[in-house]
Amino acid sequence: MRQFDQPGACVVCLDPSLTVQQANREFFRQFDDASADVCGRDFCDLVHPSVRQALKRQFIRLLDGSRHRFTTHVVAVGADGTAFTSALTAVAVREGTAHVASILVVLRPTAGGEEVDIVTNRKKLLTETEARILEGIAAGLSTIPLASRLYLSRQGVEYHVTRLLRKLRVPNRAALVSRAYSIGVLNVGCWPPKVVDDFVK
C-alpha cells in the first residue's frame, strides 16, 4: 500500500462496522492528536452530516461486494471543528474471495480548498418551518404550493423566505438553495431535498 503513503494523505483502516482501528500520523494530526480519542469512533462521525448518508451508501456497496473500491469527495471535520474538502478513496480488503476483513481509506485534502465555509458546530440555524420551506424551495415549489402544503398564508411563506435570505445572506431563492448546499445545511445525494436534522431547532 506504499502508493497511498503520500505527504498530506490521511490513511485509516476501518473494520466492517466502519469503526476506526488504525491510522497514520497525518490522520491523527488532522482529526485529533490523541489516537485513543479517534480509534474506536465511527468513521462517518468524522465527516460533515450533509455527506454522511451518501458516504454510508458507498460503504454498504463496498461491504456487500457490489464494488471493490470507490472514490468520492467529502467534507471532513477536523479536531478543532474546521471543515476541509478531501478526495476519499476506499478499498475493501478481503479474506478469501467474499468476506470483507477491513476497509482501507485514504483522504487527500483537495488542492486549494483546505478550509471551506461550512457549518460544523451543529448550530441550530433553522426553525422547523424554515427547514420545510427551504426543502420546498430546493424541490422547486413556488409560494402558493408551499403555503398550501405547510398550512400557511402566502404572506407567511414570503415572511419565512425573507428570513431565510437574511440568515444565509443571499439575494434570491436560487442563491438560497446553492448556499444551503454549499455550507452543508441540505443533505447531499438526497431527493426530495432534506435539511440535515442537526441544524433544525
Side-chain angles (χ1 to χ4, degrees), residues 123-138 146 150 152 156-168 176-177 180 185-186 193-196 199-201:
K123 185 177 174 188
K124 305 293 186 186
L125 281 178
L126 308 175
T127 65
E128 186 70 35
T129 302
E130 288 169 342
R132 300 298 79 85
I133 287 173
L134 179 56
E135 290 167 356
I137 292 170
L146 264 173
L150 299 173
L152 294 170
V157 169
E158 291 299 337
Y159 167 78
H160 287 292
V161 169
T162 301
R163 281 181 49 106
L164 283 166
L165 295 174
R166 284 191 190 133
K167 273 186 183 180
L168 298 186
L176 177 68
V177 173
V185 172
L186 284 167
K194 180 90 174 83
V195 169
V196 176
F199 306 116
V200 181
K201 294 175 185 173

Side-chain angles (χ1 to χ4, degrees), residues 3-121:
Q3 76 255 29
F4 294 123
D5 195 16
Q6 298 173 3
C10 298
V11 183
V12 59
C13 181
L14 311 178
D15 69 13
S17 68
L18 308 183
T19 301
V20 175
Q21 297 299 307
Q22 301 173 11
N24 70 348
R25 193 171 292 141
E26 183 63 20
F27 181 86
F28 292 127
R29 189 186 70 73
Q30 282 284 6
F31 291 98
D32 201 331
D33 287 330
S35 61
D37 294 337
V38 178
C39 289
R41 285 184 66 187
D42 186 325
F43 178 77
C44 292
D45 288 345
L46 303 174
V47 300
H48 194 267
S50 64
V51 297
R52 271 185 205 146
Q53 189 176 19
L55 185 61
K56 282 183 180 178
R57 281 197 299 266
Q58 298 261 39
F59 277 123
I60 287 167
R61 294 186 67 202
L62 204 65
L63 290 164
D64 71 12
S66 300
R67 57 194 329 180
H68 301 292
R69 65 183 290 150
F70 70 86
T71 300
T72 189
H73 285 276
V74 296
V75 178
V77 182
D80 56 0
T82 57
F84 57 96
T85 56
S86 287
L88 179 150
T89 301
V91 180
V93 179
R94 299 183 180 278
E95 282 180 357
T97 55
H99 177 69
V100 174
S102 59
I103 299 170
L104 182 69
V105 176
V106 181
L107 290 166
R108 292 183 190 84
T110 307
E114 272 284 325
E115 289 186 19
V116 292
D117 180 20
I118 195 162
V119 182
T120 60
N121 58 358

Side-chain angles (χ1 to χ4, degrees), residues 173-186:
R173 290 178 182 215
L176 177 68
V177 173
S178 179
R179 177 92 170 130
Y181 273 114
S182 74
I183 65 172
V185 172
L186 284 167

